[in-house]
Amino acid sequence: MVVFSVIFVLLGLALLVGGVWLLTLGGSFYYLVAGLVLITVGGLLPVRRVAAQGLYAIFLVATLLWSFWESGYDWWPLATRNGWFLLLAIPLLIPSSKRHLGAAITFGGVWALGGLVLLGSLLNDPHTVEGGLGEQVVNEQPGLGDSPDADWLAWGRTNLGQRYSPLGQITPDNVGQLKEAWRYQTGDTKQPDDTGETTYEATPLKIGNTLYLCTPHNWLVALDADTGEEQWVYKAGIGPNSQRQHQTCRGVSWLAPEGGVESAPEVQSIGGPAEDQSPVSCDAHLYLPTADARLLALDPETGAPCEGFAEQGELDLMHNMPYTQSGFYYSTSPPVVANGLVVVAGSVNDNYDINSPSGVIRAYDARTGALRWNWDPAHPDQTDPIAEDEVYSTSSPNSWAVASADEELGLIYFPMGNRTPDQLGMYRTENEERFASSVVALELDTGQVAWVQQFVHHDLWDMDTPAQPSLLDLDTDRGRQPALVVPTKQGDVYVLNRETGEPIIPVEEVPAPEGAIEGDYTAPTQPVSGLNFNPDPLREADMWGATPLDQLACRIRFRSLKYEGRYTPPSEQGTIVYPGNFGVFNWGSIAVDPKRQVMFGMPLYMAFISRLVPNEEGSDPDGPVNQGEQGLNSNAGAPYSVELKPLMSPLDIPCQQPPWGYVAGADLRTGEVVWKRKNGTVEDMGSIPVPLRLGVPGIGGPVITEGGVVFLAATVDDYIRAYDLATGEQLWRARLPAGGQATPMTYLNSNGEQMVVQVAGGHGSIGTTLGDYVVAWKLGDPDSE
């Protein structure tokens, strides 16, 4: 019993010291009291066991009531607040003598009651929203874009970005019969000198009977759609570069041959590396953006460069840039091919240097590579092709996510980021402020601005608009409207008229926190959409951990940081950014069903810390260090560097209590979130390697099918899953050989069978299993094993 007495005293001392610290920060008194109780119980155990049992029983009841008061009847908050103390109580269940049997029985009753209450909370899920989207078809003949039903011609299937397939062979009734059809490995794996964020994010195209996908090192691979057999591989040869923040390629783009989609040529295996071939005359084109800022045009049939495009199939995207630091500008997302143009945007490194390349968007002739127009957010009216001796503006807002286009309206829609540095707003011009963190619609013919709708005013939080807008026609009380639906990092989903930019679902301005650093300012209000997945503001009571000690550490950290709700400005003290800059939604976007006029998304909730670090005068102009989106970034030339990291416990578990990730369905006509369910397990997380369905973070996107089935991988566990669109119920899952941080796609093979394909290669920044796999499934024999 002496050993247990020591354990009680030591744990009590730790809670007492931490509890005093927390109380001085204005936090809960519970941990101070808990520390005193445990120390007292530890002291009483060797000499007055019955008194120790009585005091500890009162403590267990009080802790349970306190837990209810803070978090309600919710298993994970209750379990972590009460579970350890119930385990510590086990030695007290044993009577020290017959004389103390009654006291032990009484204590055992209290202990059992606490355990039963705790176990009962497993049956209650306060986070699930039950509902049904229904099967009613609102629009029988929706616009699905220019693609045969069997194919997948663009990253979002078409330029409309719906991520919706009209294929219906796979249904909620038979999806459980999916069997793996084939598996392929690209051979492109992480290299020792790569950046930290090597990611497989590619969604393949399917044209004719060939799949086309790119790899993190910008290899372009052609596969037989029936068998997964390699047809050819083109390697762009980009080489290592430590200045890149992302070693990523989300996809390639396709220009149809002069005869249209139906005249796409059959692809045959060339039996050797495609990059060894001489340039050829191309009818159709594949466009591959590279991590060293080139745009390559390749022949879909052979993989050879297209000699008629730019310089023998290669276009240097650093032309006319004001600054040309290697690795500071590149395209991670495929360009848009529309109206005879290939329109290219690019990613500018966050928080490296105030003097960085421009975020200019450029349209080139899709066959010749000649520049047709350029739109620079700092000079939005000057869209005529730039002169050879001129340069674009410095560090202007960029568009790094996938764009969409409506060729009938003649508009192209770009999700916009911010001017670097993200957390320092004193460098921005009036025009840059206008277009940052928005969606802008440009005229396809001229590049002139048709409209802009901003989602964050004077963004100091890296809340770029991260996702491809989805275009569909929406039935409203004002009739059928051409709609654009775009999710944001902060959790709002904006539903706009894509012709005018006006909100279809109302948007209101709400007051925002003040208190920016000297020389900067905050916007007095920020917009909020009527359709949103915005979380409630964090409270100290939301801090979580696997043990009472790391719960206490998280509470101390929460109270030590600056936090006044969403849009609390950055600070030297350190500011909690919630939702974090990782985003409620990110580049995986959402999927929309244009017939049912509903959406499916994967909202995530992870708090981050943003801390401004003064840059000393006379310091190295390259800054202290650059560690990408999680770590210290120099902001060379600025008064502050910025340190970014998730809000984690000492055990490397999120400080905020789960769930951290959901799947959700919403009605786009009403703005109602109809259902929401926890998504994913912690099976592949190193700190909690058990298959508990907590609801986990991830990155990637969904695909909806005509059959009412949604496919999504994305989570930090290595699975692809199928869901019922109507209810969100998980219908099927399959183990992946690596992380599935890419959006799946679906098509018909040459036998008319519906296939589902997932690229599984992992993601450096969220720590999923790395690999180089492409896996395909199709329906199998229901009677087979």
Side-chain angles (χ1 to χ4, degrees), residues 309-538:
F309 182 83
E311 298 295 326
Q312 299 293 295
E314 180 176 313
L315 177 64
D316 181 5
L317 295 175
M318 295 304 292
H319 72 82
N320 299 92
M321 284 294 185
Y323 292 90
T324 57
Q325 305 100 318
S326 178
F328 274 41
Y329 174 91
Y330 40 89
S331 292
T332 53
S333 295
V336 174
V337 178
N339 284 13
L341 301 173
V342 54
V343 189
V344 186
S347 175
V348 177
N349 274 355
D350 290 339
N351 306 324
Y352 272 42
D353 196 317
I354 63 171
N355 294 316
S356 291
S358 173
V360 63
I361 295 168
R362 292 167 285 190
Y364 302 91
D365 185 288
R367 297 197 176 275
T368 69
L371 183 63
R372 296 304 184 203
W373 54 258
N374 36 233
W375 182 74
D376 187 339
H379 304 288
D381 299 325
Q382 301 172 15
T383 62
D384 289 337
I386 196 168
E388 187 174 338
D389 60 345
E390 294 180 333
V391 295
Y392 300 114
S393 60
T394 300
S395 305
S396 53
N398 63 95
S399 180
W400 54 265
V402 186
S404 304
D406 184 333
E407 295 180 70
E408 292 185 6
L409 287 177
L411 296 176
I412 185 168
Y413 308 93
F414 285 94
M416 295 298 299
N418 212 344
R419 173 178 178 147
T420 188
D422 282 306
Q423 287 76 20
L424 302 174
M426 63 279 288
Y427 301 99
R428 303 169 192 170
T429 67
E430 182 178 348
N431 278 330
E432 289 169 344
E433 289 281 15
R434 177 187 173 200
F435 293 105
S437 304
S438 70
V439 160
V440 62
L442 304 180
E443 295 177 359
L444 265 169
D445 290 343
T446 66
Q448 289 289 321
V449 175
W451 56 261
V452 60
Q453 184 68 246
Q454 189 169 68
F455 308 135
V456 187
H457 308 318
H458 195 64
D459 182 2
L460 302 175
W461 305 271
D462 189 20
M463 292 299 178
D464 304 342
T465 306
Q468 181 185 31
S470 298
L471 314 182
L472 76 161
D473 294 333
L474 197 60
D475 287 63
T476 72
D477 54 8
R478 290 173 287 172
R480 184 165 290 172
Q481 297 191 54
L484 174 150
V485 184
V486 62
T488 62
K489 285 186 178 182
Q490 56 270 35
D492 295 284
V493 177
Y494 288 88
V495 183
L496 310 175
N497 183 303
R498 68 176 180 270
E499 187 171 10
T500 66
E502 293 298 314
I504 294 174
I505 290 179
V507 175
E508 64 173 325
E509 294 282 337
V510 299
E514 301 176 348
I517 59 170
E518 184 177 352
D520 210 339
Y521 69 93
T522 57
T525 65
Q526 294 288 357
V528 175
S529 172
L531 171 54
N532 68 73
F533 296 85
N534 302 335
D536 293 332
L538 284 176

Side-chain angles (χ1 to χ4, degrees), residues 112-124:
L113 178 63
L116 287 172
V117 170
L118 197 61
L119 288 173
S121 66
L122 279 169
L123 303 176
N124 182 51

